Short mmCIF file of all heavy atoms in Angstrom, two decimals:
data_model
loop_
_atom_site.label_atom_id
_atom_site.label_comp_id
_atom_site.label_asym_id
_atom_site.label_seq_id
_atom_site.Cartn_x
_atom_site.Cartn_y
_atom_site.Cartn_z
N THR A 1 90.45 90.63 128.90
CA THR A 1 91.34 91.43 128.06
C THR A 1 90.57 91.91 126.85
O THR A 1 89.86 91.14 126.21
CB THR A 1 92.54 90.59 127.60
OG1 THR A 1 93.21 90.08 128.75
CG2 THR A 1 93.49 91.43 126.77
N GLN A 2 90.75 93.15 126.52
CA GLN A 2 90.10 93.73 125.35
C GLN A 2 91.16 94.17 124.37
O GLN A 2 92.10 94.88 124.74
CB GLN A 2 89.24 94.93 125.76
CG GLN A 2 88.49 95.54 124.60
CD GLN A 2 87.65 96.74 125.05
OE1 GLN A 2 87.86 97.30 126.12
NE2 GLN A 2 86.72 97.12 124.22
N PRO A 3 91.05 93.73 123.10
CA PRO A 3 92.05 94.15 122.10
C PRO A 3 91.96 95.64 121.81
O PRO A 3 90.91 96.26 121.99
CB PRO A 3 91.69 93.33 120.86
CG PRO A 3 90.28 92.90 121.05
CD PRO A 3 90.02 92.87 122.54
N ALA A 4 93.08 96.21 121.40
CA ALA A 4 93.13 97.62 121.03
C ALA A 4 92.32 97.88 119.77
O ALA A 4 92.15 97.00 118.93
CB ALA A 4 94.58 98.04 120.80
N ALA A 5 91.80 99.07 119.67
CA ALA A 5 91.06 99.46 118.46
C ALA A 5 92.01 99.51 117.27
O ALA A 5 93.18 99.85 117.41
CB ALA A 5 90.41 100.83 118.66
N ALA A 6 91.50 99.16 116.11
CA ALA A 6 92.32 99.18 114.88
C ALA A 6 92.63 100.63 114.50
O ALA A 6 91.82 101.52 114.71
CB ALA A 6 91.57 98.50 113.76
N CYS A 7 93.82 100.84 114.00
CA CYS A 7 94.20 102.16 113.51
C CYS A 7 93.69 102.35 112.09
O CYS A 7 93.88 101.47 111.25
CB CYS A 7 95.73 102.32 113.54
SG CYS A 7 96.40 102.37 115.20
N MET A 8 93.05 103.46 111.85
CA MET A 8 92.56 103.79 110.52
C MET A 8 93.20 105.10 110.09
O MET A 8 93.33 106.02 110.91
CB MET A 8 91.03 103.96 110.54
CG MET A 8 90.29 102.74 111.04
SD MET A 8 90.22 101.42 109.85
CE MET A 8 89.09 102.09 108.67
N PHE A 9 93.60 105.18 108.81
CA PHE A 9 94.25 106.38 108.30
C PHE A 9 93.49 106.93 107.11
O PHE A 9 92.90 106.19 106.34
CB PHE A 9 95.69 106.07 107.88
CG PHE A 9 96.53 105.57 109.01
CD1 PHE A 9 96.80 104.23 109.17
CD2 PHE A 9 97.02 106.46 109.95
CE1 PHE A 9 97.56 103.77 110.23
CE2 PHE A 9 97.78 106.01 111.02
CZ PHE A 9 98.05 104.66 111.15
N THR A 10 93.52 108.24 106.98
CA THR A 10 92.92 108.93 105.85
C THR A 10 94.05 109.59 105.06
O THR A 10 94.85 110.34 105.63
CB THR A 10 91.92 110.01 106.32
OG1 THR A 10 90.92 109.37 107.12
CG2 THR A 10 91.28 110.70 105.13
N LEU A 11 94.10 109.29 103.76
CA LEU A 11 95.12 109.90 102.90
C LEU A 11 94.57 111.18 102.31
O LEU A 11 93.44 111.22 101.83
CB LEU A 11 95.52 108.93 101.79
CG LEU A 11 96.05 107.57 102.23
CD1 LEU A 11 96.41 106.74 101.01
CD2 LEU A 11 97.23 107.73 103.15
N GLY A 12 95.38 112.24 102.33
CA GLY A 12 94.96 113.53 101.83
C GLY A 12 94.77 113.56 100.32
O GLY A 12 93.95 114.29 99.81
N ALA A 13 95.53 112.76 99.60
CA ALA A 13 95.42 112.69 98.13
C ALA A 13 95.36 111.22 97.74
O ALA A 13 96.35 110.52 97.82
CB ALA A 13 96.61 113.37 97.48
N PRO A 14 94.19 110.76 97.33
CA PRO A 14 94.05 109.34 97.02
C PRO A 14 94.80 108.89 95.77
O PRO A 14 95.05 107.71 95.59
CB PRO A 14 92.55 109.15 96.86
CG PRO A 14 92.03 110.50 96.52
CD PRO A 14 92.95 111.48 97.19
N GLY A 15 95.20 109.79 94.93
CA GLY A 15 95.91 109.41 93.71
C GLY A 15 96.71 110.57 93.16
O GLY A 15 96.54 111.71 93.58
N ALA A 16 97.60 110.26 92.24
CA ALA A 16 98.41 111.30 91.61
C ALA A 16 98.78 110.86 90.20
O ALA A 16 98.94 109.68 89.94
CB ALA A 16 99.68 111.55 92.41
N THR A 17 98.89 111.82 89.30
CA THR A 17 99.36 111.57 87.95
C THR A 17 100.74 112.19 87.82
O THR A 17 100.94 113.35 88.19
CB THR A 17 98.41 112.19 86.91
OG1 THR A 17 97.11 111.61 87.08
CG2 THR A 17 98.89 111.94 85.50
N VAL A 18 101.69 111.39 87.34
CA VAL A 18 103.08 111.83 87.24
C VAL A 18 103.53 111.69 85.79
O VAL A 18 103.18 110.72 85.12
CB VAL A 18 103.98 110.98 88.16
CG1 VAL A 18 105.43 111.34 88.02
CG2 VAL A 18 103.53 111.12 89.61
N SER A 19 104.34 112.61 85.30
CA SER A 19 104.84 112.53 83.92
C SER A 19 105.80 111.35 83.79
O SER A 19 106.28 110.80 84.78
CB SER A 19 105.56 113.83 83.53
OG SER A 19 106.83 113.88 84.14
N GLY A 20 106.12 110.98 82.58
CA GLY A 20 107.05 109.89 82.32
C GLY A 20 108.45 110.16 82.83
O GLY A 20 109.26 109.25 82.95
N ASP A 21 108.74 111.42 83.13
CA ASP A 21 110.06 111.78 83.66
C ASP A 21 110.22 111.44 85.14
O ASP A 21 111.31 111.53 85.69
CB ASP A 21 110.31 113.28 83.49
CG ASP A 21 110.39 113.68 82.02
OD1 ASP A 21 110.78 112.84 81.19
OD2 ASP A 21 110.07 114.84 81.72
N GLY A 22 109.12 111.08 85.80
CA GLY A 22 109.16 110.76 87.22
C GLY A 22 109.07 112.02 88.05
O GLY A 22 108.89 113.12 87.54
N VAL A 23 109.20 111.86 89.36
CA VAL A 23 109.15 113.00 90.28
C VAL A 23 109.89 112.62 91.56
O VAL A 23 109.89 111.47 91.97
CB VAL A 23 107.69 113.41 90.59
CG1 VAL A 23 106.96 112.32 91.35
CG2 VAL A 23 107.61 114.71 91.34
N ALA A 24 110.56 113.58 92.13
CA ALA A 24 111.25 113.37 93.41
C ALA A 24 110.65 114.30 94.45
O ALA A 24 110.34 115.46 94.15
CB ALA A 24 112.74 113.65 93.26
N GLY A 25 110.45 113.82 95.64
CA GLY A 25 109.99 114.66 96.74
C GLY A 25 108.53 115.06 96.70
O GLY A 25 108.15 116.06 97.29
N ALA A 26 107.68 114.28 96.05
CA ALA A 26 106.24 114.54 96.09
C ALA A 26 105.74 114.13 97.46
O ALA A 26 106.38 113.34 98.17
CB ALA A 26 105.53 113.76 94.99
N SER A 27 104.60 114.66 97.89
CA SER A 27 104.11 114.30 99.21
C SER A 27 102.59 114.28 99.25
O SER A 27 101.92 114.85 98.39
CB SER A 27 104.66 115.26 100.27
OG SER A 27 104.16 116.56 100.04
N PHE A 28 102.07 113.61 100.27
CA PHE A 28 100.65 113.63 100.55
C PHE A 28 100.45 113.60 102.06
O PHE A 28 101.28 113.10 102.81
CB PHE A 28 99.91 112.48 99.86
CG PHE A 28 100.35 111.10 100.29
CD1 PHE A 28 99.67 110.41 101.28
CD2 PHE A 28 101.42 110.48 99.68
CE1 PHE A 28 100.07 109.13 101.66
CE2 PHE A 28 101.83 109.20 100.04
CZ PHE A 28 101.14 108.53 101.05
N GLY A 29 99.33 114.18 102.49
CA GLY A 29 99.03 114.21 103.91
C GLY A 29 98.35 112.93 104.34
O GLY A 29 97.72 112.23 103.55
N VAL A 30 98.51 112.61 105.61
CA VAL A 30 97.86 111.45 106.20
C VAL A 30 97.39 111.84 107.59
O VAL A 30 98.06 112.61 108.28
CB VAL A 30 98.80 110.22 106.21
CG1 VAL A 30 100.04 110.49 107.02
CG2 VAL A 30 98.10 108.98 106.71
N SER A 31 96.21 111.35 107.99
CA SER A 31 95.72 111.66 109.32
C SER A 31 95.10 110.41 109.94
O SER A 31 94.75 109.46 109.25
CB SER A 31 94.69 112.79 109.26
OG SER A 31 93.58 112.41 108.48
N SER A 32 94.98 110.45 111.26
CA SER A 32 94.42 109.36 112.03
C SER A 32 93.50 109.94 113.08
O SER A 32 93.71 111.06 113.55
CB SER A 32 95.54 108.56 112.70
OG SER A 32 95.01 107.61 113.60
N ALA A 33 92.50 109.18 113.49
CA ALA A 33 91.60 109.64 114.53
C ALA A 33 92.25 109.53 115.91
O ALA A 33 91.80 110.15 116.86
CB ALA A 33 90.31 108.83 114.50
N SER A 34 93.33 108.77 116.02
CA SER A 34 93.98 108.55 117.30
C SER A 34 95.46 108.91 117.25
O SER A 34 96.18 108.49 116.35
CB SER A 34 93.84 107.07 117.70
OG SER A 34 94.64 106.79 118.83
N ALA A 35 95.93 109.66 118.25
CA ALA A 35 97.35 110.01 118.34
C ALA A 35 98.20 108.78 118.67
O ALA A 35 99.41 108.82 118.53
CB ALA A 35 97.56 111.10 119.37
N ALA A 36 97.58 107.70 119.11
CA ALA A 36 98.31 106.48 119.44
C ALA A 36 98.68 105.68 118.18
O ALA A 36 99.42 104.71 118.27
CB ALA A 36 97.47 105.61 120.37
N CYS A 37 98.17 106.08 117.04
CA CYS A 37 98.43 105.38 115.79
C CYS A 37 99.43 106.14 114.94
O CYS A 37 99.22 107.31 114.63
CB CYS A 37 97.13 105.21 114.99
SG CYS A 37 95.90 104.20 115.82
N THR A 38 100.52 105.49 114.58
CA THR A 38 101.52 106.08 113.70
C THR A 38 101.54 105.29 112.40
O THR A 38 101.66 104.07 112.43
CB THR A 38 102.92 106.03 114.36
OG1 THR A 38 102.86 106.76 115.58
CG2 THR A 38 103.97 106.65 113.46
N PRO A 39 101.41 105.96 111.24
CA PRO A 39 101.34 105.22 109.98
C PRO A 39 102.68 104.63 109.58
O PRO A 39 103.74 105.18 109.87
CB PRO A 39 100.91 106.29 108.97
CG PRO A 39 101.45 107.56 109.54
CD PRO A 39 101.34 107.40 111.03
N ALA A 40 102.61 103.50 108.92
CA ALA A 40 103.79 102.89 108.30
C ALA A 40 103.54 102.97 106.80
O ALA A 40 102.69 102.27 106.26
CB ALA A 40 103.94 101.44 108.75
N PRO A 41 104.24 103.87 106.09
CA PRO A 41 103.99 104.02 104.66
C PRO A 41 104.37 102.77 103.89
O PRO A 41 105.33 102.08 104.25
CB PRO A 41 104.84 105.21 104.26
CG PRO A 41 105.87 105.33 105.31
CD PRO A 41 105.28 104.75 106.56
N VAL A 42 103.61 102.48 102.85
CA VAL A 42 103.81 101.29 102.05
C VAL A 42 103.79 101.65 100.57
O VAL A 42 102.97 102.44 100.13
CB VAL A 42 102.68 100.27 102.32
CG1 VAL A 42 102.87 99.01 101.52
CG2 VAL A 42 102.58 99.95 103.80
N SER A 43 104.72 101.07 99.80
CA SER A 43 104.73 101.21 98.34
C SER A 43 104.47 99.83 97.75
O SER A 43 105.04 98.84 98.19
CB SER A 43 106.09 101.72 97.86
OG SER A 43 106.18 101.58 96.45
N TYR A 44 103.60 99.79 96.75
CA TYR A 44 103.27 98.53 96.11
C TYR A 44 103.84 98.43 94.69
O TYR A 44 103.35 97.67 93.87
CB TYR A 44 101.75 98.34 96.08
CG TYR A 44 101.16 98.26 97.47
CD1 TYR A 44 100.53 99.35 98.04
CD2 TYR A 44 101.27 97.10 98.22
CE1 TYR A 44 100.00 99.28 99.32
CE2 TYR A 44 100.75 97.02 99.50
CZ TYR A 44 100.11 98.11 100.03
OH TYR A 44 99.60 98.04 101.31
N ALA A 45 104.89 99.20 94.41
CA ALA A 45 105.56 99.17 93.11
C ALA A 45 107.05 99.44 93.33
O ALA A 45 107.41 100.32 94.13
CB ALA A 45 104.97 100.22 92.17
N ASN A 46 107.91 98.70 92.65
CA ASN A 46 109.36 98.87 92.87
C ASN A 46 109.89 100.20 92.34
O ASN A 46 110.99 100.60 92.68
CB ASN A 46 110.15 97.69 92.30
CG ASN A 46 110.02 97.56 90.80
OD1 ASN A 46 109.26 98.28 90.18
ND2 ASN A 46 110.75 96.62 90.23
N TRP A 47 109.16 100.90 91.52
CA TRP A 47 109.58 102.19 90.99
C TRP A 47 108.99 103.37 91.77
O TRP A 47 109.19 104.52 91.44
CB TRP A 47 109.21 102.30 89.50
CG TRP A 47 107.83 101.80 89.19
CD1 TRP A 47 107.49 100.55 88.75
CD2 TRP A 47 106.61 102.53 89.29
NE1 TRP A 47 106.13 100.47 88.59
CE2 TRP A 47 105.56 101.67 88.90
CE3 TRP A 47 106.29 103.83 89.68
CZ2 TRP A 47 104.23 102.06 88.90
CZ3 TRP A 47 104.97 104.23 89.67
CH2 TRP A 47 103.97 103.34 89.28
N LEU A 48 108.28 103.06 92.85
CA LEU A 48 107.66 104.06 93.72
C LEU A 48 108.26 103.89 95.11
O LEU A 48 108.07 102.86 95.76
CB LEU A 48 106.14 103.82 93.75
CG LEU A 48 105.27 104.68 94.63
CD1 LEU A 48 105.36 106.13 94.21
CD2 LEU A 48 103.83 104.20 94.55
N THR A 49 109.06 104.86 95.56
CA THR A 49 109.76 104.72 96.83
C THR A 49 109.27 105.74 97.86
O THR A 49 108.94 106.87 97.52
CB THR A 49 111.29 104.89 96.66
OG1 THR A 49 111.54 106.16 96.06
CG2 THR A 49 111.87 103.80 95.78
N ILE A 50 109.22 105.29 99.10
CA ILE A 50 108.87 106.17 100.22
C ILE A 50 110.17 106.80 100.71
O ILE A 50 111.12 106.12 101.05
CB ILE A 50 108.20 105.38 101.36
CG1 ILE A 50 106.96 104.62 100.85
CG2 ILE A 50 107.87 106.30 102.52
CD1 ILE A 50 105.86 105.49 100.30
N ASP A 51 110.23 108.14 100.72
CA ASP A 51 111.44 108.86 101.11
C ASP A 51 111.46 109.25 102.58
O ASP A 51 112.50 109.19 103.22
CB ASP A 51 111.60 110.12 100.26
CG ASP A 51 111.73 109.82 98.78
OD1 ASP A 51 112.29 108.77 98.43
OD2 ASP A 51 111.25 110.64 97.98
N ASN A 52 110.30 109.69 103.10
CA ASN A 52 110.29 110.20 104.47
C ASN A 52 108.86 110.19 105.00
O ASN A 52 107.90 110.31 104.25
CB ASN A 52 110.84 111.63 104.49
CG ASN A 52 111.04 112.16 105.88
OD1 ASN A 52 111.52 111.44 106.76
ND2 ASN A 52 110.67 113.40 106.10
N THR A 53 108.77 110.07 106.32
CA THR A 53 107.48 110.18 107.01
C THR A 53 107.64 111.14 108.17
O THR A 53 108.56 110.99 108.97
CB THR A 53 107.03 108.81 107.55
OG1 THR A 53 106.95 107.89 106.48
CG2 THR A 53 105.67 108.91 108.20
N SER A 54 106.78 112.13 108.24
CA SER A 54 106.77 113.08 109.34
C SER A 54 105.37 113.05 109.92
O SER A 54 104.40 113.43 109.26
CB SER A 54 107.12 114.48 108.82
OG SER A 54 106.96 115.43 109.84
N PHE A 55 105.25 112.58 111.16
CA PHE A 55 103.93 112.42 111.76
C PHE A 55 103.98 112.86 113.21
O PHE A 55 104.88 112.48 113.96
CB PHE A 55 103.51 110.94 111.69
CG PHE A 55 102.03 110.72 111.83
CD1 PHE A 55 101.18 110.93 110.76
CD2 PHE A 55 101.49 110.30 113.03
CE1 PHE A 55 99.81 110.73 110.88
CE2 PHE A 55 100.13 110.10 113.16
CZ PHE A 55 99.29 110.31 112.08
N SER A 56 103.02 113.70 113.61
CA SER A 56 102.95 114.19 114.98
C SER A 56 101.49 114.29 115.39
O SER A 56 100.69 114.92 114.68
CB SER A 56 103.63 115.55 115.08
OG SER A 56 103.53 116.05 116.39
N GLY A 57 101.15 113.68 116.51
CA GLY A 57 99.76 113.73 116.96
C GLY A 57 98.88 112.90 116.06
O GLY A 57 99.05 111.69 115.96
N THR A 58 97.97 113.56 115.36
CA THR A 58 97.04 112.83 114.49
C THR A 58 97.21 113.14 113.01
O THR A 58 96.39 112.74 112.20
CB THR A 58 95.58 113.14 114.89
OG1 THR A 58 95.36 114.55 114.78
CG2 THR A 58 95.28 112.68 116.31
N SER A 59 98.26 113.87 112.63
CA SER A 59 98.44 114.18 111.21
C SER A 59 99.91 114.24 110.84
O SER A 59 100.78 114.37 111.69
CB SER A 59 97.76 115.51 110.85
OG SER A 59 98.37 116.56 111.55
N GLY A 60 100.17 114.13 109.55
CA GLY A 60 101.54 114.18 109.08
C GLY A 60 101.63 114.17 107.58
O GLY A 60 100.64 114.32 106.87
N THR A 61 102.85 113.95 107.09
CA THR A 61 103.13 113.97 105.65
C THR A 61 104.02 112.79 105.30
O THR A 61 104.95 112.46 106.03
CB THR A 61 103.85 115.28 105.27
OG1 THR A 61 103.04 116.38 105.67
CG2 THR A 61 104.11 115.35 103.78
N ILE A 62 103.73 112.17 104.18
CA ILE A 62 104.56 111.11 103.63
C ILE A 62 105.13 111.62 102.31
O ILE A 62 104.39 112.08 101.45
CB ILE A 62 103.77 109.81 103.43
CG1 ILE A 62 103.30 109.29 104.80
CG2 ILE A 62 104.61 108.76 102.70
CD1 ILE A 62 102.39 108.09 104.72
N THR A 63 106.45 111.58 102.18
CA THR A 63 107.13 112.04 100.98
C THR A 63 107.59 110.83 100.18
O THR A 63 108.09 109.87 100.75
CB THR A 63 108.35 112.91 101.34
OG1 THR A 63 107.89 113.98 102.20
CG2 THR A 63 109.00 113.51 100.11
N TYR A 64 107.40 110.90 98.86
CA TYR A 64 107.73 109.76 97.99
C TYR A 64 108.34 110.23 96.68
O TYR A 64 108.25 111.41 96.33
CB TYR A 64 106.50 108.90 97.73
CG TYR A 64 105.42 109.61 96.94
CD1 TYR A 64 105.31 109.43 95.56
CD2 TYR A 64 104.51 110.46 97.55
CE1 TYR A 64 104.33 110.08 94.83
CE2 TYR A 64 103.54 111.11 96.83
CZ TYR A 64 103.45 110.92 95.47
OH TYR A 64 102.49 111.56 94.74
N SER A 65 108.96 109.30 95.97
CA SER A 65 109.52 109.58 94.64
C SER A 65 109.06 108.51 93.67
O SER A 65 108.84 107.36 94.04
CB SER A 65 111.05 109.58 94.70
OG SER A 65 111.52 110.64 95.49
N VAL A 66 108.92 108.92 92.41
CA VAL A 66 108.54 108.01 91.33
C VAL A 66 109.67 108.02 90.31
O VAL A 66 110.06 109.10 89.83
CB VAL A 66 107.22 108.45 90.66
CG1 VAL A 66 106.86 107.53 89.51
CG2 VAL A 66 106.10 108.51 91.69
N GLN A 67 110.21 106.86 90.01
CA GLN A 67 111.29 106.75 89.03
C GLN A 67 110.75 107.00 87.62
O GLN A 67 109.57 106.75 87.34
CB GLN A 67 111.92 105.35 89.10
CG GLN A 67 112.50 105.02 90.46
CD GLN A 67 113.56 106.01 90.87
OE1 GLN A 67 114.44 106.35 90.09
NE2 GLN A 67 113.48 106.50 92.10
N PRO A 68 111.57 107.48 86.70
CA PRO A 68 111.13 107.68 85.31
C PRO A 68 110.59 106.37 84.71
O PRO A 68 111.06 105.29 85.05
CB PRO A 68 112.39 108.14 84.60
CG PRO A 68 113.25 108.72 85.68
CD PRO A 68 112.96 107.89 86.90
N ASN A 69 109.65 106.52 83.80
CA ASN A 69 109.05 105.37 83.13
C ASN A 69 109.77 105.13 81.81
O ASN A 69 109.63 105.93 80.88
CB ASN A 69 107.56 105.61 82.89
CG ASN A 69 106.86 104.41 82.30
OD1 ASN A 69 107.49 103.39 82.03
ND2 ASN A 69 105.56 104.52 82.11
N PRO A 70 110.53 104.03 81.66
CA PRO A 70 111.24 103.77 80.42
C PRO A 70 110.36 103.14 79.34
O PRO A 70 110.80 102.96 78.21
CB PRO A 70 112.34 102.79 80.86
CG PRO A 70 111.71 102.03 81.98
CD PRO A 70 110.84 103.04 82.68
N LEU A 71 109.13 102.81 79.68
CA LEU A 71 108.22 102.13 78.75
C LEU A 71 107.35 103.13 78.00
O LEU A 71 107.11 104.23 78.45
CB LEU A 71 107.34 101.15 79.52
CG LEU A 71 108.08 100.16 80.42
CD1 LEU A 71 107.08 99.37 81.26
CD2 LEU A 71 108.96 99.26 79.60
N ALA A 72 106.86 102.69 76.84
CA ALA A 72 105.95 103.54 76.08
C ALA A 72 104.55 103.51 76.68
O ALA A 72 103.77 104.44 76.50
CB ALA A 72 105.89 103.07 74.63
N ALA A 73 104.21 102.45 77.41
CA ALA A 73 102.88 102.31 77.99
C ALA A 73 102.81 102.95 79.38
O ALA A 73 103.79 102.94 80.12
CB ALA A 73 102.54 100.82 78.11
N PRO A 74 101.67 103.50 79.72
CA PRO A 74 101.49 104.05 81.07
C PRO A 74 101.58 102.92 82.10
O PRO A 74 101.39 101.75 81.79
CB PRO A 74 100.08 104.63 81.07
CG PRO A 74 99.65 104.66 79.65
CD PRO A 74 100.47 103.69 78.91
N ARG A 75 101.86 103.26 83.35
CA ARG A 75 101.89 102.27 84.42
C ARG A 75 101.14 102.84 85.62
O ARG A 75 100.96 104.05 85.75
CB ARG A 75 103.32 101.90 84.79
CG ARG A 75 104.13 103.07 85.29
CD ARG A 75 105.57 102.72 85.50
NE ARG A 75 106.28 103.93 85.97
CZ ARG A 75 107.58 103.98 86.18
NH1 ARG A 75 108.32 102.90 86.00
NH2 ARG A 75 108.15 105.09 86.60
N SER A 76 100.70 101.96 86.48
CA SER A 76 100.03 102.43 87.69
C SER A 76 100.56 101.64 88.88
O SER A 76 101.02 100.50 88.74
CB SER A 76 98.50 102.27 87.57
OG SER A 76 98.16 100.91 87.43
N GLY A 77 100.56 102.28 90.01
CA GLY A 77 101.04 101.67 91.24
C GLY A 77 100.24 102.24 92.40
O GLY A 77 99.43 103.14 92.22
N ALA A 78 100.49 101.74 93.58
CA ALA A 78 99.76 102.20 94.75
C ALA A 78 100.72 102.48 95.90
O ALA A 78 101.76 101.84 96.02
CB ALA A 78 98.74 101.15 95.16
N ARG A 79 100.34 103.45 96.71
CA ARG A 79 101.04 103.75 97.93
C ARG A 79 100.00 104.05 98.97
O ARG A 79 98.86 104.39 98.67
CB ARG A 79 102.06 104.88 97.76
CG ARG A 79 101.61 106.32 97.86
CD ARG A 79 100.60 106.72 96.85
NE ARG A 79 100.34 108.13 96.77
CZ ARG A 79 99.24 108.70 97.22
NH1 ARG A 79 98.35 108.02 97.88
NH2 ARG A 79 99.03 109.97 97.03
N GLY A 80 100.34 103.85 100.22
CA GLY A 80 99.38 104.08 101.28
C GLY A 80 100.03 104.04 102.64
O GLY A 80 101.24 104.14 102.77
N ALA A 81 99.22 103.87 103.66
CA ALA A 81 99.70 103.79 105.04
C ALA A 81 98.94 102.69 105.74
O ALA A 81 97.74 102.52 105.54
CB ALA A 81 99.51 105.12 105.74
N SER A 82 99.65 101.94 106.55
CA SER A 82 98.98 100.90 107.32
C SER A 82 99.37 101.00 108.76
O SER A 82 100.27 101.71 109.14
CB SER A 82 99.37 99.52 106.78
OG SER A 82 100.75 99.30 106.89
#
C-alpha cells in the first residue's frame, strides 16, 4: 500500500492590510497542483471569519470578513488553506 501524496496549496495573496473599520467579502485565490485536493479554509483569529469557498479543478477563491477592531493597537491574524 502506498499513501496518497500530500495536498499542497498556494495562496494568491499571502497577506492583507485592513482598516480598523474591518471589511466584508474580501477574497484571495488559492490553487493546488492536483484536482484531487480541495482546500479547507482556516481562520486563526476569532475576528477573522471564512464566508465562502469556491473551488473547481485546481483553483478557486476563498472569501472572508474581518470584524472592526475596537482596540487602539493594531492586531494581526492568519488565514489559510489546509
Side-chain angles (χ1 to χ4, degrees):
T1 303
Q2 182 180 17
C7 292
M8 303 285 288
F9 299 101
T10 302
L11 302 181
T17 301
V18 177
S19 76
D21 295 332
V23 66
S27 65
F28 61 95
V30 60
S31 62
S32 172
S34 171
C37 297
T38 300
V42 181
S43 168
Y44 298 101
N46 63 354
W47 43 265
L48 177 62
T49 57
I50 304 298
D51 299 327
N52 188 42
T53 303
S54 173
F55 200 79
S56 178
T58 59
S59 63
T61 302
I62 296 174
T63 305
Y64 65 98
S65 294
V66 178
Q67 301 301 313
N69 185 358
L71 308 173
R75 61 187 179 184
S76 63
R79 84 299 191 253
S82 61

